[in-house]
Amino acid sequence: MTREELIDLVLEKTNSYEDYPFNDNNTHETILWTAIRQRKDKKIIALIFEKDDDLLIDLKLTPEHGDEVREYDGVFPGYHMNKTHWNTVRVNNTSLPFEGLVKMIEESDKLTK
């Protein structure tokens, strides 16, 4: 999956828009962060980024569901996020089924409303 396809998937499954709040000319940040935000209150549903040639996505889950999906290869506590509620998925390097990723996106959407 490409970055653009992942962005499109999250936008398709949620009532959201893409934003780039962490990337400006005055930052030392070298990672391009795409924030997918709720239209209503601008809360972040997902963060999409690439690091070390991996396409990654941060999603918010219940602690129980987070523990469950972390059993899959390529799913781990959120990168730069609250480790209890946020989880990172290596999109192209995980044993998590595609349907599991979609479920995570939908849950993150519900939890951030």
Side-chain angles (χ1 to χ4, degrees):
M1 181 178 298
T2 67
R3 179 187 194 96
E4 292 76 22
E5 290 169 335
L6 181 58
I7 291 168
D8 289 346
L9 174 65
V10 179
L11 294 175
E12 173 189 316
K13 298 293 179 185
T14 63
N15 182 20
S16 59
Y17 66 96
E18 65 184 284
D19 189 17
Y20 296 85
F22 309 118
N23 306 102
D24 64 32
N25 294 332
N26 298 322
T27 183
H28 67 280
E29 184 64 62
T30 58
I31 296 174
L32 175 62
W33 295 90
T34 303
I36 306 296
R37 295 179 176 268
Q38 297 283 355
R39 289 196 179 277
K40 182 178 178 185
D41 57 16
K42 301 182 181 179
K43 289 183 180 177
I44 293 175
I45 298 168
L47 285 173
I48 298 170
F49 60 104
E50 292 171 286
K51 186 172 185 324
D52 301 327
D53 296 323
D54 270 333
L55 176 61
L56 301 123
I57 185 169
D58 287 337
L59 296 162
K60 186 173 187 178
L61 303 177
T62 64
E64 299 78 23
H65 190 206
D67 288 343
E68 189 179 301
V69 296
R70 289 177 191 173
E71 296 296 319
Y72 290 97
D73 290 334
V75 181
F76 50 94
Y79 181 80
H80 281 307
M81 304 295 278
N82 176 300
K83 307 292 189 233
T84 302
H85 297 281
W86 287 86
N87 299 273
T88 300
V89 179
R90 284 190 181 109
V91 177
N92 294 320
N93 192 13
T94 183
S95 59
L96 178 73
F98 177 77
E99 297 78 22
L101 176 61
V102 170
K103 183 177 177 183
M104 289 175 70
I105 291 167
E106 292 170 344
E107 183 174 338
S108 189
D109 180 45
K110 288 177 187 166
L111 290 174
T112 56
K113 285 185 179 179

